[in-house]
Amino acid sequence: EKEEWNDSECFPKWKERYPTPPDLIGMSRIYSKEQDSPSLRSNEALVRSIPADNKQSLKTHLKPYGFTGYKYAELTPNKTRRAQCANWLLYYREELFGYTVEELKERRRLKREAEEAEKKRKEEEEGKKAEDEWKPPVKEVLVLPRGIVRLHRRGIEGTSSIEA
């Protein structure tokens, strides 16, 4: 019997974006832009779906077994993507498995409310708002020759009307 892709249990946004199963790893191992771009984009979307609290799951779960992490020289695009997929599977197992989409949305809402309550409590305790604290500037503008402007921390490049 041949198994076929069934997206009935996928998260709604993934079902919409990927009607067919995405190649998350890049099994063709051809890393030209045309060939690799869909695989790279689907893997990036998978990694973005992992909350910051769960980004190091692979390391924390495998450390008791002697895993110390990867060495830079060992990394290949394929190995990196496999590790990212394994990290997502650990996140799924720990945080998502066994819950409906509605239950997950409710958990997210409750978590946000708890974070807001904690933020308010800290503000009242310290007597100042979080907005009163100094934050680094969001946009740092660097004017380069020929009017090219780079906006750091956002990765935006464009041309400027300012002549350098």
Side-chain angles (χ1 to χ4, degrees):
E1 257 183 65
K2 184 179 178 184
E3 291 186 33
E4 291 194 24
W5 170 249
N6 179 356
D7 65 358
S8 64
E9 295 185 26
C10 286
F11 291 105
K13 289 181 183 177
W14 278 85
K15 186 186 296 189
E16 181 182 313
R17 188 165 182 186
Y18 301 104
T20 59
D23 178 9
L24 297 167
I25 299 172
M27 289 305 296
S28 64
R29 296 184 184 201
I30 299 171
Y31 300 114
S32 67
K33 187 173 184 175
E34 303 81 35
Q35 181 77 22
D36 191 48
S37 186
S39 174
L40 178 63
R41 299 297 164 246
S42 61
N43 186 273
E44 288 172 345
L46 187 74
V47 171
R48 277 193 307 272
S49 72
I50 304 171
D53 297 345
N54 300 83
K55 292 280 187 188
Q56 294 294 321
S57 294
L58 191 63
K59 194 180 241 182
T60 57
H61 280 77
L62 296 180
K63 193 172 188 173
Y65 302 105
F67 180 72
T68 57
Y70 292 105
K71 294 184 177 120
Y72 185 75
E74 296 176 335
L75 292 176
T76 63
N78 202 300
K79 189 179 270 190
T80 302
R81 291 178 193 172
R82 286 174 187 265
Q84 290 167 332
C85 290
N87 193 53
W88 186 88
L89 287 170
L90 288 169
Y91 160 66
Y92 177 81
R93 184 187 76 180
E94 299 295 319
E95 301 291 332
L96 306 177
F97 183 72
Y99 295 99
T100 65
V101 173
E102 292 76 25
E103 290 172 328
L104 292 170
K105 286 179 180 179
E106 181 63 17
R107 284 177 62 193
R108 182 189 302 167
R109 186 187 65 77
L110 292 172
K111 184 177 179 181
R112 285 182 182 157
E113 286 176 1
E115 288 171 353
E116 287 295 319
E118 179 65 18
K119 184 179 174 182
K120 279 186 178 181
R121 186 191 64 76
K122 283 184 177 181
E123 287 174 359
E124 290 172 359
E125 195 175 273
E126 295 175 7
K128 62 181 176 180
K129 291 186 175 183
E131 291 84 27
D132 294 342
E133 295 179 22
W134 181 86
K135 294 178 185 171
V138 175
K139 293 182 184 179
E140 294 178 21
V141 178
L142 173 64
V143 179
L144 300 172
R146 297 189 190 133
I148 296 174
V149 175
R150 289 203 175 146
L151 302 176
H152 296 281
R153 296 187 189 194
R154 293 202 180 186
I156 302 169
E157 289 189 22
T159 56
S160 168
S161 59
I162 303 170
E163 291 297 319

